[in-house]
Amino acid sequence: TKVSSPLPPGLSFLWVPFGLVLETTLFPRDQRYFGWHVIALTVIAPFITRRFLRNSRRAVAVLTFVVYPVACYAYMNATSLATAEGKPRVNFFEDAHHLVPASEMLRGERLYRDIVPTHGFIEDAAITWIALKARGATIGSALRGRAAVGTLISVGAYAVTVAATGVTEAGFLAFLLATTLGVLPASVRVVPALFALAAIAASVRMRNVRAMYAGGFLTVLALMTSLDFGTYTLLTLIVSLLRYGRNRWSAIRNAAIGSAAAGLPFAAVLAAFGVLDDFFRVTLFELPAAATTGTLNVFTPPQGFVQYPHVPEVLAAIFTKPAVTYVSWIMAVILTGTLIARRVDRGTLPLLVVSFWMTVAGLSYAQRHHVFFEFATATLFVMIAWLVIRRVPALTPAIVVALLMMAQPTTHLAIAAWIRRTRGPIEQGWTEIRELPRARGALFTVHDAAVVRAASRYVEERLPGDNTFFDFTDRGSLYFLLRRDCPVRQIAVPFYETEELQRQVIARIDANPNVRAALVPASGEGGSVDNIPNQIRAPLVWKYVAEHFTPDHAEDDVAFWRRRQ
């Protein structure tokens, strides 16, 4: 049946991407993969759309600001490992960064004064605390809540590309490319930074000084979430304002107002809890001074470059993962050096914004061999492709082929189809801990589960009431799982390596009579960071433990020493 409408045929399928929502964790597994409801939406929606939606401009606006963002979020949720396995996985060391501060907040302790969120207020405390309060104090609730927020990174990658190019389809293409490249893991830390980058890029491209309100506000929000990503974004904002050209001072004023709108309420809240001075002291002095000892080399080449070390074979490595991520950073550095020294039109200026952000994000590799610049890799490639195609349309086929070679979509589609048939862990070595209330709803490695159970038995038998232990093994998650107070301000040994911080740790343990035991390395080898023993990282603390605690119990790589009377 023909339904006449002024709407272009392509826009008749406007609501079809919403079918991805039907395959997310909002629905039980059997309903997610039922299939017929998605087919029904695909078949019926176009006829209804052509009948009731007759304004093309409105349809494009809905597609840009509603349909595509929801589709990006839903696709990332539907194809995630946690969705396939039914439960999130626990990273025993990394998850302690947010579990311990949130757990201490539940006990009534104050951030920065009683416990230090090492990455940022929102990343290491607020999100997890809200999840625990809203969904129950279990590790599954915490990780699911963080995943719900972290998946917004998909919308952020889409928004940056749309803002930088002005093309809706380019944004969705960048998201799909990022997904197939594997450079878009769900991460709370980077979400505000990407949205801030989108506001900045939109402002410089359209010369819309009002967008700088959002740019300044989101930049401060990024700093509140994660100090490193916030710093990258703040530097990018400064460079963008300096290169703004006409209406520069208006843009600077608006960015300052937006920054104040986010920063002043945050400062007021900290002041109300009496920790504003602690926040500045920890952020500006304590955390920078707590640089950890490391054994990282200058550069570890990705596997592609190791496999193809010679010319011209090395060209094949460009299209392999993760080598393509390193190539994108090199391209970003070259573009930054080229564009920052010359005048460029406003259509090219967003490319400088993105490339500069990636360049400064390269500091993460120098610090800990992190590749945080990967979050903008797909955006950079799509922006370059868009600018080249717009200037030289004849190169379109070659660029499409190059993007497909990098994306390797066949591999991604095969994996996506495989995880749809998955029930439970997709590999051996993962298990649940159902007997501990706070450990429910997540998957642990078999080794970590044995550690948790052994520690739980010791704590229940020998540390009754408010008694607790001092952890010298970087297993801070145990404080949350076993409902015990963390007696020191830092969650792991690498964060108190300086002599001053070690003496603070010793003073806190010495003054706390509830610390009745110490969890120490079962052997003298290795450590959770760079394989350096904690006895070397914090020798003063180790000397204190050796003098004031004596061996008491050892089981499954767990060694507890009891405090001497």
Side-chain angles (χ1 to χ4, degrees), residues 168-477:
T168 301
E169 291 76 13
F172 195 65
L173 174 61
F175 163 71
L176 294 177
L177 179 61
T179 301
T180 56
L181 289 176
V183 296
L184 209 63
S187 173
V188 174
R189 296 173 66 182
V190 72
V191 169
L194 288 182
F195 281 103
L197 201 60
I200 296 169
S203 180
V204 300
R205 180 178 64 84
M206 299 186 296
R207 287 295 188 266
N208 184 349
V209 294
R210 292 186 177 181
M212 276 300 174
Y213 287 123
F217 183 93
L218 291 168
T219 297
V220 173
L221 188 64
L223 284 166
M224 292 160 53
T225 302
S226 177
L227 293 175
D228 43 12
F229 284 103
T231 301
Y232 309 150
T233 309
L234 177 62
L235 293 174
T236 304
L237 174 64
I238 293 173
V239 169
S240 301
L241 291 172
L242 293 176
R243 293 300 306 273
Y244 208 86
R246 186 183 303 176
N247 297 326
R248 176 188 300 170
W249 291 110
S250 296
I252 293 175
R253 179 199 63 201
N254 293 350
I257 293 174
S259 300
L264 293 179
F266 178 63
V269 171
L270 293 178
F273 283 93
V275 295
L276 182 61
D277 56 336
D278 297 284
F279 166 76
F280 284 110
R281 176 178 53 79
V282 170
T283 303
L284 299 179
F285 302 104
E286 183 173 318
L287 288 177
T292 61
T293 302
T295 58
L296 298 175
N297 57 356
V298 177
F299 176 69
T300 301
Q303 184 59 35
F305 291 149
V306 174
Q307 186 175 358
Y308 303 103
H310 306 294
V311 178
E313 290 84 355
V314 71
L315 296 176
I318 295 176
F319 299 101
T320 61
K321 307 170 187 177
V324 66
T325 307
Y326 293 78
V327 172
S328 72
W329 184 79
I330 295 173
M331 294 173 63
V333 172
I334 295 173
L335 285 170
T336 299
T338 302
L339 298 177
I340 204 170
R342 56 187 296 185
R343 295 180 63 86
V344 295
D345 59 76
R346 67 180 190 177
T348 308
L349 194 55
L351 183 60
L352 172 61
V353 173
V354 174
S355 62
F356 181 85
W357 188 89
M358 290 183 64
T359 299
V360 295
L363 293 171
S364 64
Y365 191 88
Q367 293 172 320
R368 297 290 317 143
H369 278 200
H370 293 308
V371 287
F372 289 158
F373 46 85
E374 69 176 352
F375 295 105
T377 291
T379 294
L380 181 73
F381 285 145
V382 171
M383 288 180 65
I384 294 173
W386 166 247
L387 291 173
V388 172
I389 289 174
R390 194 172 63 175
R391 288 168 171 76
V392 189
L395 293 177
T396 302
I399 291 176
V400 170
V401 170
L403 291 177
L404 287 173
M405 291 175 65
M406 285 188 292
Q408 302 176 23
T410 303
T411 302
H412 173 76
L413 292 175
I415 295 174
W418 170 53
I419 64 175
R420 289 170 61 91
R421 298 188 295 270
T422 299
R423 291 181 181 271
I426 62 176
E427 58 191 7
Q428 295 182 349
W430 292 88
T431 186
E432 296 181 62
I433 306 177
R434 298 180 179 178
E435 64 270 24
L436 286 179
R438 285 195 170 186
R440 293 170 184 168
L443 298 174
F444 295 77
T445 65
V446 172
H447 175 267
D448 289 342
V451 168
V452 172
R453 290 186 170 107
S456 176
R457 286 190 289 269
Y458 181 88
V459 168
E460 289 181 0
E461 294 173 3
R462 309 191 189 188
L463 299 178
D466 293 332
N467 290 333
T468 187
F469 59 94
F470 167 62
D471 171 42
F472 197 66
T473 64
D474 302 334
R475 293 165 174 162
S477 297

Side-chain angles (χ1 to χ4, degrees), residues 16-40:
V16 171
F18 274 10
L20 292 168
V21 177
L22 302 175
E23 303 202 9
T24 64
T25 50
L26 292 174
F27 301 91
R29 187 185 186 282
D30 292 338
Q31 294 181 20
R32 289 202 303 268
Y33 304 139
F34 177 60
W36 288 105
H37 48 5
V38 178
I39 294 176

Side-chain angles (χ1 to χ4, degrees), residues 30-206:
D30 292 338
Q31 294 181 20
R32 289 202 303 268
Y33 304 139
F34 177 60
W36 288 105
H37 48 5
V38 178
I39 294 176
L41 177 65
T42 305
V43 173
I44 298 173
F47 295 97
I48 299 176
T49 303
R50 290 182 66 82
R51 177 65 180 84
F52 294 101
L53 184 60
R54 312 179 71 83
N55 187 310
S56 296
R57 176 175 293 184
R58 185 175 300 171
V60 171
V62 171
L63 183 70
T64 303
F65 296 105
V66 179
V67 176
Y68 272 151
V70 171
C72 291
Y73 186 95
Y75 186 83
M76 187 170 181
N77 178 286
T79 57
S80 69
L81 182 62
T83 300
E85 295 184 329
K87 293 179 175 62
R89 293 184 176 186
V90 176
N91 185 315
F92 214 58
F93 176 73
E94 293 295 339
D95 286 329
H97 287 77
H98 61 89
L99 286 172
V100 177
S103 177
E104 296 302 291
M105 288 176 67
L106 291 177
R107 301 176 63 88
E109 296 191 0
R110 289 175 289 183
L111 293 178
Y112 299 103
R113 178 167 297 181
D114 302 318
I115 191 73
V116 175
T118 54
H119 296 122
F121 168 75
I122 297 177
E123 157 71 10
D124 281 347
I127 297 297
T128 301
W129 181 81
I130 292 172
L132 295 177
K133 294 289 287 186
R135 306 184 59 169
T138 68
I139 196 169
S141 297
L143 296 183
R144 287 182 184 277
R146 292 178 63 82
V149 177
T151 305
L152 286 172
I153 193 175
S154 58
V155 185
Y158 162 82
V160 172
T161 313
V162 174
T165 63
V167 182
T168 301
E169 291 76 13
F172 195 65
L173 174 61
F175 163 71
L176 294 177
L177 179 61
T179 301
T180 56
L181 289 176
V183 296
L184 209 63
S187 173
V188 174
R189 296 173 66 182
V190 72
V191 169
L194 288 182
F195 281 103
L197 201 60
I200 296 169
S203 180
V204 300
R205 180 178 64 84
M206 299 186 296

